[in-house]
Amino acid sequence: MADTFTTRVIDVRTGSRETVHDLTDACAEFLRSAAHGRDGLLNAFTPHATAGLAVIETGSGSDDDLLAALHDLLPADDRWRHRHGSPGHGRDHVLPALIPPHATLPVIGGRLELGTWQSVVLVDTNVDNPDRKVRLSFLG
């Protein structure tokens, strides 16, 4: 299995603001050492109840648009039954139902097979937890 499966945990500091954190370079770096030019699958997983992973365009305002859409869908107010933490924190626990904590992506020739404008991102609206982990696993 060692020849076909490799995994690594990366630490991501998201800070005290809601964020869309680009993981694409970290994924590419991991694949350079793990895939060795092979085809396979990259799985990314974040073991947090208040964060998710997405594939979106970044840098052109889409990341801010995503956060704005989440504010519309999941307002940070007192409607949530889950009430510890910052005001509206209960919405952070609903986020992974909309933006799952995992993504599986194709790897061709050892490289992530993304579209021209696609990036792999960690979406974190929980300002109470600035330190995140993402497990990257290559199967090939």
Side-chain angles (χ1 to χ4, degrees):
M1 183 97 166
D3 290 342
T4 61
F5 181 79
T6 305
T7 190
R8 175 185 309 154
V9 174
I10 61 171
D11 294 313
V12 178
R13 180 135 179 95
T14 56
S16 59
R17 293 181 0 175
E18 296 179 1
T19 190
V20 175
H21 182 89
D22 195 335
L23 298 170
T24 310
D25 289 344
C27 291
E29 179 184 332
F30 168 70
L31 289 171
R32 279 192 290 279
S33 66
H36 305 291
R38 294 178 300 192
D39 295 348
L41 295 172
L42 172 70
N43 179 265
F45 174 76
T46 187
H48 300 284
T50 59
L53 296 166
V55 177
I56 65 167
E57 178 180 4
T58 59
S60 63
S62 298
D63 25 8
D64 291 332
D65 289 341
L66 175 57
L67 292 175
L70 289 172
H71 273 277
D72 290 344
L73 290 170
L74 304 171
D77 58 21
D78 64 357
R79 75 182 67 201
W80 308 101
R81 290 180 182 96
H82 188 107
R83 293 189 186 262
H84 76 85
S86 297
H89 174 66
R91 77 175 189 123
D92 299 328
H93 287 275
V94 176
L95 174 87
L98 301 175
I99 301 175
H102 58 86
T104 301
L105 305 160
V107 176
I108 306 298
R111 298 178 61 147
L112 199 52
E113 187 75 4
L114 292 173
T116 302
W117 305 111
Q118 291 180 315
S119 297
V120 182
V121 299
L122 174 69
V123 181
D124 187 1
T125 59
N126 182 359
V127 299
D128 296 333
N129 188 356
D131 297 307
R132 299 303 190 152
K133 296 195 179 304
V134 177
R135 177 174 292 281
L136 302 176
S137 300
F138 174 72
L139 179 63

